[in-house]
Amino acid sequence: MKIKLTKLRYEEHTLELVRENGTREQAVLNTKTFLFHDFLHYCVETLADLRNSFWGSLAAGKALKELSMRMEDPSPEKIFLASSTEAGTTEMVVGVLTGVVRGGASAKDAIAVLSNIASAKGEVVPAWCTEQLIEKVQNRMRELLGEWNSLPHEGSMTLEFPL
């Protein structure tokens, strides 16, 4: 799947998906709300080779609107992010890594926080979530944000999922 991101204004961008089967989907998103989080999901999911989380679900044909509706509606039958699923685990990891990447905490600190969260739920940190992976995510995030920040108004960047 191709993921095309285009700057519209400082606070908005378009997200266009072109799936392997040729179907397309596009949305205008608030950059402050979505871009960092979407980049972080992309980094975690591609570097950990995950296929059943946010980007993998979109590549498989789920609609952006469907995923966002599930996140807005916390009713038990619609919870997409139950921690027992790959998507839920990924969301937990991305949540912790948001603070790590923005705040400059260490990968070791991130693993400690994830271990505490998982332990409280009676779970364990997934085997794919290692200090080495987190360091790669931090580096890739710097690259993506640098590329985004260097784009001119109406400039675009395209990512591939899976790689």
Side-chain angles (χ1 to χ4, degrees):
M1 173 177 71
K2 291 191 185 313
I3 303 164
K4 183 178 177 185
L5 300 152
T6 304
K7 280 187 180 181
L8 297 178
R9 292 183 295 281
Y10 174 75
E11 68 278 350
E12 286 185 326
H13 66 281
T14 59
L15 167 63
E16 181 180 6
L17 306 175
V18 181
R19 295 180 183 90
E20 295 297 319
N21 66 6
T23 61
R24 295 175 173 262
E25 188 172 4
Q26 185 174 14
V28 175
L29 301 172
N30 177 286
T31 300
K32 184 177 180 182
T33 304
F34 292 102
L35 187 72
F36 187 92
H37 189 76
D38 289 350
F39 275 165
L40 198 47
H41 264 279
Y42 179 80
C43 292
V44 169
E45 292 176 39
T46 56
L47 292 169
D49 198 31
L50 303 176
R51 298 294 176 261
N52 297 305
S53 295
F54 180 73
W55 292 111
S57 294
L58 291 171
K62 294 272 187 205
L64 276 168
K65 188 173 187 168
E66 181 181 352
L67 293 181
S68 64
M69 283 173 51
R70 286 180 174 180
M71 287 183 273
E72 290 169 8
D73 182 356
S75 59
E77 65 275 5
K78 293 200 175 182
I79 291 181
F80 175 68
L81 302 173
S83 62
S84 61
T85 67
E86 179 186 293
T89 300
T90 304
E91 195 64 39
M92 177 185 70
V93 170
V94 166
V96 170
L97 293 187
T98 297
V100 170
V101 173
R102 284 193 168 143
S106 72
K108 185 177 183 174
D109 292 339
I111 294 294
V113 170
L114 287 165
S115 294
N116 286 340
I117 293 169
S119 177
K121 294 177 165 191
E123 299 173 2
V124 296
V125 175
W128 53 261
C129 188
T130 64
E131 288 183 35
Q132 294 79 17
L133 175 88
I134 293 169
E135 290 166 357
K136 288 178 183 178
V137 167
Q138 289 171 310
N139 291 331
R140 184 68 175 124
M141 279 296 290
R142 279 191 286 278
E143 292 170 3
L144 289 176
L145 291 169
E147 184 178 346
W148 178 259
N149 291 332
S150 70
L151 288 175
H153 175 69
E154 296 187 10
S156 297
M157 62 189 283
T158 302
L159 304 172
E160 296 278 337
F161 186 90
L163 292 174

